[in-house]
Amino acid sequence: MDFDLSQDEKLFKESVHEFLSKELNPIWIKMDSEKKIPTEVIHKMGDQGLFAIAVPEEYGGQGGSFLLAALAVEEVAYNDPAVATAVFTLLNNSWPYILYLYGKEETKQEILPLVGKGRGFFGIASTETGGGSDVAGEKTTAKKEGNLYKINGEKIYISGVREALEQLELGSWFLIARTGKQEDKHRGLSSFAFIGNKNGKITQGLEYSILNTIGRHAISTGLLHFNNALTDSNHLIGDENKGYYLAMQGFSIARVLVSAANIGAAQWALEQAVKYSRDRRMFDDKPIASFQGVSFPIAEVATKIEATKLLIYKSAQLADKIFIKKEPGFKPQDLNYWASSSKIMAIETAFQAIETTMKTYGGYSYTEEANVFRNLLGVLSYLVGAEGSQNIMRYIVARELIGREYVKD
């Protein structure tokens, strides 16, 4: 068993790190303060090949792997530990692949090349007011009328609203809407590549607003309201009333990349704690690292980060076997256990890392000058539920481990 990255993977990670250390790291605090990812930064990241990494080159992607995507997201979060840019990156690496797998040819050609270049956005529009993780209970409707679907309803806590609708040439989402009856639950859901903005023109019937979040400020979180908004039938992804199953595949891939983002943020926090523990001196001019109460928690966090990285990389490699290599004996559901396990460990390890850093800093951590609060509030968005709550992750792991017939809804 070889737990090391290949030479190509190491070179990729190093090149991404070098690029981001120049283009992102110097401005991440400014971005968080001004609540915006500059459009030119998104363009540069696209030119660098950080989006649609697993999508084949003929569709405007990079022809890479999910492991490479995880490495890229990890580096983005390390260089923007408020994780805003990492959110943008992970969305545009997970959901575009589902569109590539199941979308119509015309729609793939319309969306994917722009996403790969950093000129377009393709995220996820699933969560509804009062719905949360209850995807099967979604109420947004899509009624077919000729060659069009008429969308009505509302989505909330949607990432990338401003970026998609105001900053880029094209803004779109993997939209989950009900084409069947409410009582059909997950069997009545379909998925669409809903385009909300094309060349600066907002789709008629779509209204949006930006929410005031407490962290990861540089990427917007908003609300999408659909009032007879139309989408072409070619934008249906997969078959009608089968959208739930495609969404679950997308969520599993996204959770692997969410995990990579959180462990990148954790690595940043760890390094701040190590540096401060060396530099801060007290009690006869000793570095505080000489005290076990300081150094032992740092050691524990370092150990968990390394173990969690291996779990994430294994999950990413499994995604590659299932979706890219299509190795026999593997199916999409096999990723559920590993993606959810990764998310549990990555988020809680990141939160522990940040807590350890703040305790190492002491009172200084409670000031804006320390900037650890930006790291804390970014990771907190995932601790409380983005891409599925921690209890939902535990439910999935228990269901896959013990058996669906025992662990029921």
Side-chain angles (χ1 to χ4, degrees):
M1 297 178 69
D2 186 358
F3 291 98
D4 205 0
L5 299 173
S6 71
Q7 189 62 26
D8 286 344
E9 289 159 352
K10 288 178 182 178
L11 289 172
F12 173 82
K13 194 172 190 293
E14 289 170 5
S15 68
V16 172
H17 179 83
E18 182 179 358
F19 166 75
L20 294 171
S21 66
K22 296 175 182 177
E23 300 292 342
L24 187 59
N25 188 273
I27 62 171
W28 78 272
I29 296 171
K30 184 174 185 282
M31 289 195 314
D32 194 57
S33 297
E34 296 182 355
K35 300 184 178 182
K36 185 177 182 180
I37 304 172
T39 305
E40 59 268 25
V41 170
I42 298 172
H43 288 173
K44 286 179 180 179
M45 292 175 70
D47 294 339
Q48 187 70 17
L50 299 184
F51 307 130
I53 291 173
V55 173
E57 293 179 7
E58 57 264 36
Y59 290 99
Q62 315 308 324
S65 66
F66 287 115
L67 178 55
L68 291 179
L71 295 174
V73 171
E74 180 185 330
E75 284 296 334
V76 173
Y78 175 82
N79 285 280
D80 173 14
V83 305
T85 325
V87 172
F88 187 96
T89 307
L90 72 89
L91 289 172
N92 287 287
N93 274 293
S94 49
W95 297 101
Y97 196 81
I98 299 300
L99 175 59
Y100 156 69
L101 283 180
Y102 302 108
K104 310 289 191 299
E105 184 68 22
E106 178 182 336
T107 305
K108 292 192 285 189
Q109 294 290 357
E110 183 179 15
I111 294 174
L112 293 176
L114 288 172
V115 173
K117 294 175 184 175
R119 272 65 178 174
F121 176 90
F122 191 70
I124 173 68
S126 170
T127 304
E128 297 183 356
T129 304
S133 298
D134 183 16
V135 178
E138 304 224 332
K139 295 179 173 60
T140 296
T141 61
K143 184 177 180 181
K144 191 171 185 181
E145 296 184 358
N147 292 325
L148 299 171
Y149 282 88
K150 186 179 289 184
I151 312 294
N152 283 282
E154 196 169 76
K155 300 292 183 179
I156 196 169
Y157 309 131
I158 306 304
S159 295
V161 170
R162 181 183 59 240
E163 293 76 9
L165 301 180
E166 297 179 10
Q167 292 183 236
L168 299 173
E169 295 173 28
L170 182 138
S172 53
W173 286 271
F174 182 102
L175 172 70
I176 303 172
R178 185 163 298 283
T179 45
K181 299 176 182 178
Q182 193 68 39
E183 54 266 31
D184 293 335
K185 295 187 176 180
H186 69 279
R187 295 180 180 87
L189 294 175
S190 298
S191 55
F192 299 86
F194 181 85
I195 296 177
N197 160 46
K198 193 169 185 179
N199 297 321
K201 184 178 180 181
I202 304 297
T203 298
Q204 187 175 353
L206 174 65
E207 297 177 354
Y208 68 97
S209 59
I210 306 300
L211 300 171
N212 294 317
T213 58
I214 64 171
R216 68 180 206 193
H217 291 128
I219 189 170
S220 62
T221 301
L223 183 147
L224 300 175
H225 182 76
F226 305 90
N227 183 15
N228 293 326
L230 300 177
T231 190
D232 194 281
S233 59
N234 277 336
H235 292 165
L236 177 70
I237 302 175
D239 297 326
E240 194 172 276
N241 296 327
K242 301 294 184 182
Y244 176 86
Y245 306 101
L246 308 188
M248 293 303 105
Q249 292 181 32
F251 279 125
S252 284
I253 293 171
R255 284 164 184 159
V256 175
L257 302 186
V258 164
S259 304
N262 280 272
I263 217 63
Q267 186 70 43
W268 178 86
L270 172 67
E271 291 181 15
Q272 307 314 302
V274 169
K275 184 178 185 302
Y276 193 84
S277 72
R278 292 168 175 165
D279 295 342
R280 179 77 166 96
R281 310 181 79 86
M282 58 192 305
F283 301 120
D284 299 324
D285 201 35
K286 294 179 181 178
I288 61 173
S290 64
F291 302 105
Q292 292 179 359
V294 174
S295 61
F296 280 17
I298 293 174
E300 182 178 346
V301 164
T303 303
K304 287 187 177 180
I305 287 175
E306 290 305 316
T308 305
K309 280 183 182 180
L310 291 177
L311 179 59
I312 295 167
Y313 296 167
K314 177 172 181 175
S315 299
Q317 289 174 331
L318 178 59
D320 289 335
K321 291 178 181 179
I322 294 169
F323 294 104
I324 297 178
K325 298 177 181 177
K326 295 181 172 58
E327 292 188 6
F330 292 99
K331 56 187 183 299
Q333 297 93 310
D334 294 337
L335 188 58
N336 295 345
Y337 176 94
W338 295 101
S340 297
S341 297
S342 295
K343 189 169 181 287
I344 291 170
M345 286 298 298
I347 293 168
E348 294 179 8
T349 296
F351 207 73
Q352 183 181 351
I354 298 165
E355 180 185 7
T356 298
T357 300
M358 295 184 76
K359 288 179 176 178
T360 303
Y361 276 22
Y364 175 51
S365 70
Y366 206 64
T367 67
E368 291 191 358
E369 286 73 20
N371 287 309
V372 186
F373 78 98
R374 302 181 194 276
N375 186 213
L376 171 70
L377 295 176
V379 168
L380 184 60
S381 69
Y382 285 109
L383 189 73
V384 300
E387 301 291 341
S389 70
Q390 291 296 82
N391 279 343
I392 289 294
M393 297 304 101
R394 286 176 166 82
Y395 165 76
I396 293 171
V397 170
R399 183 191 66 195
E400 298 298 320
L401 177 66
I402 302 170
R404 292 171 182 255
E405 67 272 30
Y406 298 100
V407 181
K408 299 181 179 180
D409 294 340

